Each structure stands twice: as C-alpha cells, then as structure tokens.
Amino acid sequence: MTFPADFRWGVATAAFQVEGATTADGRTPSIWDAFCAREGAVAGGDTGDPAADHYHRMPADVALMRDLGVGVYRFSLAWPRVRPDGGEINAAGLDFYERLIDNLLDAGVTPWPTLYHWDLPQALEERGGWTARDTAYRFADYAAAVVERLGDRVGTWTTLNEPWCSAFLGYGSGRHAPGRTEPRAAVAAAHHLLLAHGLGAAAIRDTVPGAEVGVTLNLFPVGVADPGSAADWDVARRVDGLQNRVFLDPVLRGRYPDDVLTDLEPYGLRDVIHDGDERIIGTTVDFLGVNYYRDLLVSAVPDARSGLPSEWVGAEHVSFPERDLPKTDSGWDISPEPLTGLLLRLHTDYPRLPLYITENGVAFPDEIGADGHIADTDRIAFVDAHLRAAHAAIEAGVDLRGYFYWSLLDNFEWAEGYAKRFGLVHVDYATQRRTPKASASWYARVMADNGLAGRE
Ligand code: FCB
C-alpha cells in the first residue's frame, strides 16, 4: 500500500500544548492560562507549565524529528508570545519561532505553521474575545507581523486550527477557554473566526504574494441512530451544519448554507454578518487541512445531558447514543472507515481542493515496560487503520496530499490536562525525558517506505 510519490508525512503539535515557559521572554497570558487557573476547569488542575518544555528543548526535539525522518512539522505560534496584549510586537517571541524554523530547515523538515491554535491573548478576551468583531482585525495584524518576519522561509501558512472548538467549546458549552456558556456569543465567535481567517489570509498574501494559505477544520461524518426517524435526520442535518458546513461553505463557497442561516437566526448569526464579509471569508485557499478523530452518531431522543450548556447551539437536545465500538483513552469511538467517505464528500462537494490530514491520532494509557519500552501496538493499529481509510480515498480519486500524526510528543490535552497521551514519543513530565514509543519507529518506517509497504 504505497502513497503518491509526493505525499507529505508529518507530525503535529500546538504551542500551548507543548511549549511550557508561559512567562518567558515577554509572553503574556492567553485565555488558556486564565482558564487553567479556574477551579475545576482542567483535569488535575493542570496548567500550561511545564507541558513538554519544548520552548527550551526545541533543538533536541527537532533533532528527534530528523532522526525519525519526519517530512513536515505542523506547529502553531503563540499569539501572546508575538503580540503581548494584542499590541506591540514582541521581537523575543518571534525570535523563538525563527530559531525553530531555522532548526527545522537545517534538519530537512518542512515547517508548517498555524497562526492560531486557541491561545488568544487574555487581553483581547477582556475586550470581548472572539465575540468582538475587532478581534478578527487584530488577528490580521498579528498574521502580518509574523509573516513579515518569517515569510521568507515558510511556504505554507495555516490561519486557524479547528475554529469549531474555539467558538462552540469556548463560548457555547464552556468546556474550553474562555469557558463561556452563551449560545449567541458562540455564534458571533464562529463568524468572527471565519472573518479572521479571511482577513488573515489576505494579510499573509499581501506580505508574501506567493504564499500558500489554508485553514484546518475538525470535520465529523454524521450518522443517525434510527434511519427510520425523520427527527434523527433533521438533527443530523443540523449537527452537520453546525460542525462542518458552517465553516466549509463560507470558506470554500463564500456563502453560509441557507439551512444554517435559518437554524442560527434566533442566535443572531445574520446580525453579525456585515455586507462583504462572506466575500472576505471566501478568499481562495490553496488547501484544506482536515483533522479527523472519529465520526458522530446522533439521535433526536434527549438524554441526561440534554438541556445543559451545549456546543450544539440550536440543537441542545441532540444526544449521542453509545455504540458498541472500541474506545480510546479519551472515550472516543475508534471508527476509521468513515474517514474515506468524509474525504470523498469533500472531493465531491468542493472540487479541485487539495486536502491534507493535518491531525489524526489517539490517546491510550501507555505503559512503560520493565525494560523502559512502550509497546503501544494499539496506537500502531489505530494509525494503520486510518492510513488504509485515507489510501482508499486516494484510490477513489481524492487529492489527498499528506498525513500528519497528532502528536509528536505527549502533551497538554486541553481540559483533560496531561492525563491523555497522544504522543509517538513519551514525555516524563517530571524529568522531561523523551522516550520514543514503538509507534514512533513504526511510523518512521511508514514515512521511509511512503506507506504500508509489504504490510497488505
Ligand atoms: C484536536 C486539537 C489538538 C489535540 C487533538 C487531540 O481537536 O486540534 O490540539 O488536542 O484534538
């Protein structure tokens, strides 16, 4: 099972999850620092320190990637390192990313930076955060500052990672920073994140005309619990609208879907869209990043969680019935096959769009053996199955150009803290010792062989 000759193999991380050093060199607090300080918000009371202390261990981490034969490193920049307070540019913050990129280039690893992976400066949250239209313009300023400094050595920029989480987990269910539970705020945040993408993309191209620009979305195939139930189908349409199409259509067609506009009318979506916004959001993208972890099965029959603050604005009574599927340590169903259909759907609905799987990966309760070895065969099986699903989409004609495993390192898994380990490389947080798991050498082979050669 071989992938196309120019297929890109990589690994991913994000600033707040791996860097640590949250007060170093002029970094100011982000919404995640503030959220972590809130009693009960993050499991174990964990915070962004020490994370994997990547800020200080970056050269060794890059060397590790080189040794594994990683082709692409997808990472994010911390906005509060670069523009503390959303104001003056902090040269020391940019210096770190310049060093990182130079180390990567020296190691033969292509840098794949994302500008926003959820760590909004807290100072901007205090001015309304993503509910404020102004935040989208501040993002464009931040993007311009970054690209001015680093654009000569980076070919591909990603504006946002998973705006769905920023908007709906951040302002809807409150599971993520800033922890607000206001449905209208979540809808305004979604629109302003989209606007930030459009304005940011323009700012990047104004600064470096030839730059490739894209966005990464977390997309979920949505199925129904009871195919005979019209109510289930309606809930599936709504959830697909809220999770997938509310982002896909404005970015790739320059237009919100009519049904989503109607569903979110009571929550003020039309009120926050200004004339011309959809044109800005619909600026051409050079690729779409797809983060895939699982599919969703929905039901219109309420359950115990119904009516609680929800990320499903306007569909608060949707439930997600248990399925008889193996689960990850995050409690997520293991469900690789629907990835093929998702990629095919994107290929059909949004033609001529290069796709990358910018995240796919799994947390398992890894155990360190007596010999120090971590035999994570469950993780290997997980990745193997998802690569097969991706390969099937390529065979069917999908223009899938890369796969980046989440994550290179064990790291801070947001509201779950350090308890969930997604890394190919184990991190002992007390000593910061890195131990590649069995999956790391397995994945190194996959990258070297450009697929699952000889393992059909
Ligand atoms: C995604 C996030 C990423 C990581 C994985 C497990 O939603 O983009 O930061 O936490 O989930």
Side-chain angles (χ1 to χ4, degrees):
M1 188 171 293
T2 302
F3 283 70
D6 48 2
F7 197 77
R8 321 284 303 266
W9 295 98
V11 293
T13 66
F16 192 75
Q17 296 180 271
V18 297
E19 286 178 359
T22 58
T23 55
D25 299 333
R27 183 187 180 280
T28 54
S30 75
I31 53 175
W32 271 94
D33 297 280
F35 191 66
C36 290
R38 245 200 232 185
E39 181 89 43
V42 174
D46 292 346
T47 71
D49 283 304
D53 196 29
H54 173 70
Y55 191 78
H56 296 116
R57 290 160 201 271
M58 177 273 288
D61 288 339
V62 172
L64 185 61
M65 285 188 260
R66 183 201 55 216
D67 294 348
L68 290 171
V70 167
V72 176
Y73 180 44
R74 175 180 183 256
F75 61 95
S76 78
L77 288 86
W79 186 342
R81 284 197 199 284
V82 175
R83 284 181 76 88
D85 310 326
E88 284 304 292
I89 297 171
N90 176 30
L94 281 166
D95 289 347
F96 170 70
Y97 296 108
E98 189 172 77
R99 286 198 304 277
L100 166 62
I101 290 167
D102 288 346
N103 272 262
L104 289 167
L105 293 173
D106 284 348
V109 180
T110 302
W112 188 285
T114 299
L115 289 166
Y116 186 66
H117 199 127
W118 308 355
D119 42 2
L120 187 73
Q122 175 63 14
L124 290 179
E125 178 58 29
E126 278 152 25
R127 288 185 245 149
W130 287 111
T131 71
R133 190 175 167 87
D134 186 60
T135 299
Y137 290 86
R138 301 290 71 79
F139 175 76
D141 293 346
Y142 156 64
V146 169
V147 176
E148 204 137 289
R149 176 79 177 271
L150 305 173
D152 59 339
R153 52 203 97 177
V154 170
T156 306
W157 292 94
T158 298
T159 52
L160 311 176
N161 174 70
E162 303 190 359
W164 181 84
C165 296
S166 301
F168 293 105
L169 296 177
Y171 296 82
S173 64
R175 287 272 299 143
H176 278 186
R180 290 169 61 177
T181 51
E182 304 155 50
R184 291 181 74 90
V187 169
H191 180 66
H192 296 142
L193 281 151
L194 281 165
L195 186 62
H197 158 73
L199 293 168
I204 295 165
R205 290 188 176 123
D206 282 351
T207 313
V208 177
E212 287 198 352
V213 183
V215 62
T216 276
L217 302 176
N218 51 331
L219 301 173
F220 290 75
V222 184
V224 291
D226 175 4
S229 156
D232 277 16
W233 283 108
D234 189 57
V235 157
R237 177 195 59 72
R238 276 178 177 261
V239 167
D240 180 56
L242 285 165
Q243 176 79 55
N244 302 318
R245 290 179 293 115
V246 70
F247 297 105
L248 287 167
D249 280 21
V251 169
L252 301 169
R253 294 182 174 154
R255 241 185 129 243
Y256 279 100
D258 289 335
D259 65 320
V260 172
L261 281 169
T262 306
D263 290 345
L264 294 180
E265 174 128 41
Y267 302 92
L269 178 56
R270 282 187 208 272
D271 308 334
V272 292
I273 305 173
H274 292 195
D275 279 352
D277 283 2
E278 285 167 301
R279 196 179 37 76
I280 294 171
I281 297 166
T283 181
T284 312
V285 288
D286 298 296
F287 65 91
L288 176 71
V290 178
N291 290 356
Y292 179 81
Y293 288 92
R294 58 187 163 136
D295 63 337
L296 295 175
L297 187 81
V298 299
S299 161
V301 180
D303 67 6
R305 290 194 54 219
S306 301
L308 296 175
S310 168
E311 50 268 25
W312 306 106
V313 173
E316 286 80 2
H317 288 85
V318 61
S319 61
F320 301 89
E322 278 289 310
R323 281 185 286 184
D324 192 18
L325 287 174
K327 306 255 187 290
T328 74
D329 199 30
S330 312
W332 301 345
D333 290 336
I334 299 181
S335 186
E337 296 82 13
L339 173 60
T340 310
L342 171 67
L343 295 169
L344 276 165
R345 168 192 174 180
L346 294 170
H347 174 71
T348 309
D349 291 356
Y350 310 96
R352 289 177 300 284
L353 177 66
L355 301 174
Y356 290 83
I357 295 175
T358 41
E359 283 181 31
N360 171 244
V362 64
F364 282 122
D366 299 321
E367 281 182 24
I368 308 188
D371 58 354
H373 191 71
I374 299 160
D376 56 342
T377 48
D378 41 11
R379 181 169 289 103
I380 293 173
F382 181 98
V383 180
D384 181 282
H386 286 79
L387 289 178
R388 285 172 198 277
H391 193 267
I394 295 173
E395 298 263 90
V398 174
D399 186 8
L400 179 68
R401 299 194 180 178
Y403 174 95
F404 309 155
Y405 179 78
W406 181 273
S407 175
L408 170 68
L409 300 167
D410 288 341
N411 61 50
F412 175 82
E413 174 54 11
W414 308 113
E416 308 288 345
Y418 295 103
K420 307 290 181 240
R421 293 179 175 273
F422 279 85
L424 295 172
V425 176
H426 179 271
V427 175
D428 176 335
Y429 295 109
T431 61
Q432 290 297 337
R433 205 187 125 115
R434 272 77 167 135
T435 308
K437 306 174 191 177
S439 56
S441 32
W442 177 85
Y443 190 56
R445 253 294 27 107
V446 170
M447 293 190 283
D449 292 348
N450 194 33
L452 305 163
R455 281 180 267 195
E456 270 84 336

